[in-house]
Amino acid sequence: MRDKALPEDEVMRILEETRAHDYNYDRFFSTMCSLPHPIAIRAHDMFLETNLGDPGLFPGVAELEERVVQMLGELLGCPGASGYVSTGGTESNIQAIRAARNEAGRKDGNIVVPASAHFSFDKIGDLLCLEVRKAELDENLRVDLSSVESLLDEKTVAMVGIAGTTEFGQVDPIEELAGMAQERGIHLHVDAAFGGFVLPFLDRKFAWDFSVPAVSSITIDPHKMGMSTIPAGGLLFRSPQCLNALETETYYLTKARQASLTGTRSGAAAASTYAVMMHLGREGFKKMVGYCMDLTDYLVAGAREIGIEPLIEPVMNVVALKVPSPGKVREELMERDWHVSMTREPNRALRLILMRHMTKENIDLFLKDLQATVIL
Ligand SMILES: *Cc1c(COP(=O)(O)O)cnc(C)c1O
């Protein structure tokens, strides 16, 4: 740290200069985040210094958080759900599995997740000392049920299904997983970090949320398709006991017990999520999701015209495109300031997410560059 103070202007100049090194959202196909809705930014700023880690001091924002949990519960088929606004999908997944493990009362357990699971589950295995068993995928890139069945045993503390896989946007057969979970009395966690704000607004309907009786917990991220500011995650439990299984005593704070993973946590995310959900309503989200799906269809049609096929017919606004040497194609595209990502082996492909910041004009430009790059 410097010894002497630096005038505000000087500091701001450095910040602006450095900020200019960041790339712009309008060239991003690789991220599940997007520009927050303007009202989310306003709410975020208004609640910036509030601390939900000590809710007795900030009962106002604590109330907003409760209302967010209730709205999310309604959206996901369980108006009485318990939960909280986390920092994102990773924290929500950690906490869901931690609650399941605590409820099962085992420290030497395992969890069974699809091979398509987000890497947060590898962190979970390490943090919670659980063995992470990965079930194979079927030809549609959904988890294979017989593979899941073969991995379950008496030490399994949780099963995971994904509603909107990070790489393919695919939805696992949640009802069938729920059947297995119910039969064996295992906690079923549904990771809808991305899909949570997509699936309720699609014309095509899936059974994946709390309306499926054996679903015990759900991860849903407002900072992905929820148009909220970062860091806004959501964790919901069907039963309040599950949330209780996460609580520790806090000794010196205004509330005697705390269930969140982080201690100090800004209320800005809760306020921002509340503001967007209230302002847009289901109507507004349906429109936004419709826009993203329209972009998705447009991209896939354009890709097919230049001879490029998707790995699966897109279910949501995530597309995996089959191209020869995707790693090389990706690098070439990066040089043209297009940011795309890749899926893992054995289904290596270019991965694109069509978020609300994308436009058809930019998709046209991108497809031209993609065509030139693939021929190279
Ligand atoms: C993005 C994602 C996560 C992780 O969420 P973060 O907010 O990045 O921590 C977890 N699961 C799925 C399915 C995701 O797409």
Side-chain angles (χ1 to χ4, degrees):
M1 199 193 212
R2 311 163 44 92
D3 241 356
K4 292 237 182 295
L6 193 64
E8 190 174 325
D9 286 0
E10 273 296 293
V11 177
M12 289 311 294
R13 194 191 52 73
I14 297 171
L15 291 182
E16 272 161 25
E17 196 182 290
T18 317
R19 180 72 174 97
H21 298 169
D22 292 336
Y23 297 104
N24 289 321
Y25 267 102
D26 62 343
R27 311 285 290 190
F28 291 174
F29 287 101
S30 58
T31 175
M32 293 187 144
C33 291
S34 190
L35 297 166
H37 191 284
I39 202 170
I41 299 173
R42 287 178 66 187
H44 189 106
D45 285 348
M46 190 185 287
F47 286 86
L48 200 60
E49 72 272 31
T50 61
N51 176 14
L52 278 169
D54 207 354
L57 300 180
F58 302 97
V61 73
E63 197 180 313
L64 287 184
E65 182 180 38
E66 264 175 40
R67 290 190 214 160
V68 168
V69 168
Q70 197 195 338
M71 286 194 285
L72 290 175
E74 281 166 9
L75 183 67
L76 305 182
C78 182
S82 312
Y84 74 96
V85 176
S86 72
T87 54
T90 300
E91 179 182 341
S92 296
N93 285 341
I94 293 170
Q95 290 281 82
I97 302 302
R98 187 175 148 227
R101 184 203 64 174
N102 291 355
E103 279 211 311
R106 285 202 96 96
K107 300 270 170 183
D108 62 340
N110 66 66
I111 58 174
V112 177
V113 309
S116 52
H118 184 264
F119 57 82
S120 50
F121 289 97
D122 295 324
K123 298 182 185 176
I124 288 168
D126 189 31
L127 276 168
L128 300 177
C129 300
L130 294 168
E131 181 196 344
V132 181
R133 298 183 174 173
K134 294 185 181 173
E136 287 166 26
L137 305 184
D138 67 16
E139 69 279 7
N140 293 310
L141 306 175
R142 279 186 286 245
V143 75
D144 182 83
L145 293 165
S146 56
S147 177
V148 172
E149 184 89 59
S150 72
L151 295 173
L152 296 171
D153 62 22
E154 71 287 349
K155 290 187 176 179
T156 306
V157 298
M159 296 166 58
V160 175
I162 310 171
T165 57
T166 312
E167 289 160 293
F168 314 111
Q170 185 56 284
V171 181
D172 284 326
I174 304 297
E175 272 183 309
E176 286 80 359
L177 291 173
M180 281 184 210
Q182 193 146 34
E183 201 174 292
R184 294 171 177 253
I186 299 174
H187 182 114
L188 174 60
H189 175 64
V190 175
D191 183 357
F194 184 78
F197 275 104
V198 181
L199 292 169
F201 308 110
L202 289 179
D203 294 331
R204 186 172 166 197
K205 294 296 168 210
F206 293 84
W208 66 276
D209 62 9
F210 288 121
S211 61
V212 180
V215 170
S216 306
S217 52
I218 298 180
T219 288
I220 173 171
D221 273 2
H223 69 202
K224 286 186 172 169
M225 283 293 280
M227 287 186 267
S228 189
T229 52
I230 300 170
L235 171 60
L236 295 176
F237 292 106
R238 180 190 298 279
S239 98
Q241 287 90 294
C242 253
L243 189 64
N244 297 346
L246 293 172
E247 286 184 342
T248 54
E249 282 182 51
T250 53
Y251 313 114
Y252 49 81
L253 299 183
T254 50
K255 199 173 161 221
R257 304 182 72 75
Q258 186 176 84
S260 56
L261 182 62
T262 57
T264 301
R265 60 191 175 102
S266 169
S272 154
T273 304
Y274 178 78
V276 185
M277 290 184 81
M278 289 297 282
H279 182 54
L280 292 184
R282 285 177 194 256
E283 202 178 53
F285 274 97
K286 200 165 169 19
K287 217 168 128 192
M288 185 270 296
V289 169
Y291 174 76
C292 295
M293 290 309 293
D294 195 36
L295 290 181
T296 304
D297 294 342
Y298 190 76
L299 174 87
V300 171
R304 283 194 161 123
E305 270 174 33
I306 56 172
I308 298 172
E309 286 292 318
L311 272 185
I312 55 164
E313 218 41 66
V315 175
M316 49 185 84
N317 48 327
V318 180
V319 180
L321 293 177
K322 282 187 275 193
V323 296
S325 17
K328 230 179 115 229
V329 171
R330 181 194 187 193
E331 271 176 36
E332 295 280 346
L333 288 169
M334 290 265 278
E335 293 200 356
R336 298 170 190 236
D337 191 25
W338 292 115
H339 303 266
V340 300
S341 68
M342 277 192 298
T343 58
R344 279 173 278 190
E345 292 294 356
N347 299 298
R348 189 70 104 188
L350 278 193
R351 167 180 173 262
L352 295 91
I353 302 120
L354 287 300
M355 297 297 287
R356 70 184 204 96
H357 57 255
M358 194 40 67
T359 59
K360 286 190 179 170
E361 291 71 35
N362 271 6
I363 290 176
D364 286 338
L365 294 174
F366 170 78
L367 285 170
K368 278 206 191 99
D369 281 339
L370 179 64
Q371 186 174 26
T373 309
V374 168
I375 290 166
L376 279 177

